[in-house]
Amino acid sequence: GAVVSQHPSRVICKSGTSVKIECRSLDFQATTMFWYRQFPKQSLMLMATSNEGSKATYEQGVEKDKFLINHASLTLSTLTVTSAHPEDSSFYICSARESGRSNQPQHFGDGTRLSIL
Amino acid sequence: DAKTTQPPSMDCAEGRAANLPCNHSTISGNEYVYWYRQIHSQGPQYIIHGLKNNETNEMASLIITEDRKSSTLILPHATLRDTAVYYCIVRVPIPSGDDYKLSFGAGTTVTVRA
């Protein structure tokens, strides 16, 4: 089945550090990928839609200069949390759907747990 | 802006069927219903999806009412490993294109007990 790989699975770093998270579709091409954030005991909140070869679309209230998204190929999207602070600590999850198959489900990575000290 | 409502929690006995209800009364004619589950500290796992007809796969069955305003996910023989948060989702169109995004509600926390 479709597999989405996310790396790293866990990051612990100091305040002010920038952190890059990778999301790869391993056996399919994805024109569109999605980035979510999940705080403890809460549901997933969509942050942005990552579009291959063009700018990402951010949800209301999400700072695009804070959360940089690059979708340079059909199998890779990256999320960079710039100058991270403790309030950015969260579980970040990506998803992807095979291009050209709009009714097929999105598949999710296993998430990245980010802890900012 | 979740378009579905689900009970917040339910318990189920191991080995018995678990029936998870979902209301989606504002669903439009061409929108699919998707079910995912999230086991603690993992990414959501796709379970099943459907449009009008009932669907079955190796994980579950999906029963959609004739008016499509509600559906039920059935786990035929629940095991302890089925303990998770289950999300019923109707996709939301992305304004900028012809793609869709998933809007997660609170889901149903299912606890399977031995």
Side-chain angles (χ1 to χ4, degrees):
Chain A
V3 177
V4 174
S5 174
Q6 198 171 331
H7 178 80
S9 59
R10 186 175 181 95
V11 180
I12 301 173
C13 57
K14 295 180 179 180
S15 185
T17 306
S18 292
V19 179
K20 180 186 283 188
I21 302 169
E22 292 187 349
C23 180
R24 294 181 185 273
S25 55
L26 297 186
D27 54 358
F28 62 96
Q29 293 184 331
T31 306
T32 307
M33 294 185 177
F34 302 86
W35 288 97
Y36 296 80
R37 179 168 54 181
Q38 185 175 32
F39 292 107
K41 297 187 178 181
Q42 295 185 22
S43 189
L44 282 76
M45 293 295 296
L46 180 65
M47 299 175 65
T49 302
S50 172
N51 306 298
E52 187 269 335
S54 64
K55 291 181 179 180
T57 304
Y58 291 82
E59 295 298 301
Q60 190 172 7
V62 178
E63 300 175 57
K64 61 181 181 180
D65 296 330
K66 173 76 170 177
F67 300 100
L68 301 179
I69 291 172
N70 185 283
H71 193 154
S73 78
L74 287 171
T75 59
L76 173 64
S77 174
T78 61
L79 169 68
T80 301
V81 183
T82 61
S83 186
H85 290 95
E87 59 266 29
D88 298 321
S89 298
S90 188
F91 191 48
Y92 291 85
I93 310 168
C94 72
S95 71
R97 181 182 51 74
E98 188 171 358
S99 299
R101 306 187 70 187
S102 61
N103 290 326
Q104 291 303 302
Q106 291 182 21
H107 294 277
F108 287 78
D110 283 335
T112 296
R113 188 159 302 282
L114 176 62
S115 300
I116 307 299
L117 305 178
Chain B
D1 54 351
K3 299 165 66 174
T4 64
T5 55
Q6 300 175 252
S9 64
M10 64 183 298
D11 285 1
C12 176
E14 186 180 22
R16 304 294 292 270
N19 297 310
L20 283 62
C22 178
N23 286 323
H24 32 79
S25 58
T26 61
I27 194 171
S28 67
N30 61 351
E31 291 185 68
Y32 283 72
V33 178
Y34 293 82
W35 282 83
Y36 287 81
R37 71 180 183 184
Q38 186 178 27
I39 296 170
H40 183 62
S41 295
Q42 297 182 21
Q45 177 189 22
Y46 165 75
I47 302 174
I48 199 167
H49 72 289
L51 180 63
K52 296 179 182 178
N53 300 321
N54 298 336
E55 302 287 345
T56 295
N57 63 20
E58 65 277 5
M59 291 184 67
S61 294
L62 176 61
I63 309 298
I64 303 175
T65 58
E66 193 169 339
D67 64 7
R68 302 206 330 115
K69 292 185 177 182
S70 65
S71 60
T72 301
L73 179 74
I74 301 173
L75 306 178
H77 304 286
T79 70
L80 298 179
R81 288 187 293 181
D82 291 323
T83 292
V85 179
Y86 286 76
Y87 297 99
C88 168
I89 301 169
V90 175
R91 301 179 309 181
V92 177
I94 295 176
S96 59
D98 61 356
D99 211 328
Y100 297 86
K101 58 183 179 181
L102 301 180
S103 180
F104 283 77
T108 297
T109 299
V110 174
T111 303
V112 180
R113 303 191 186 279

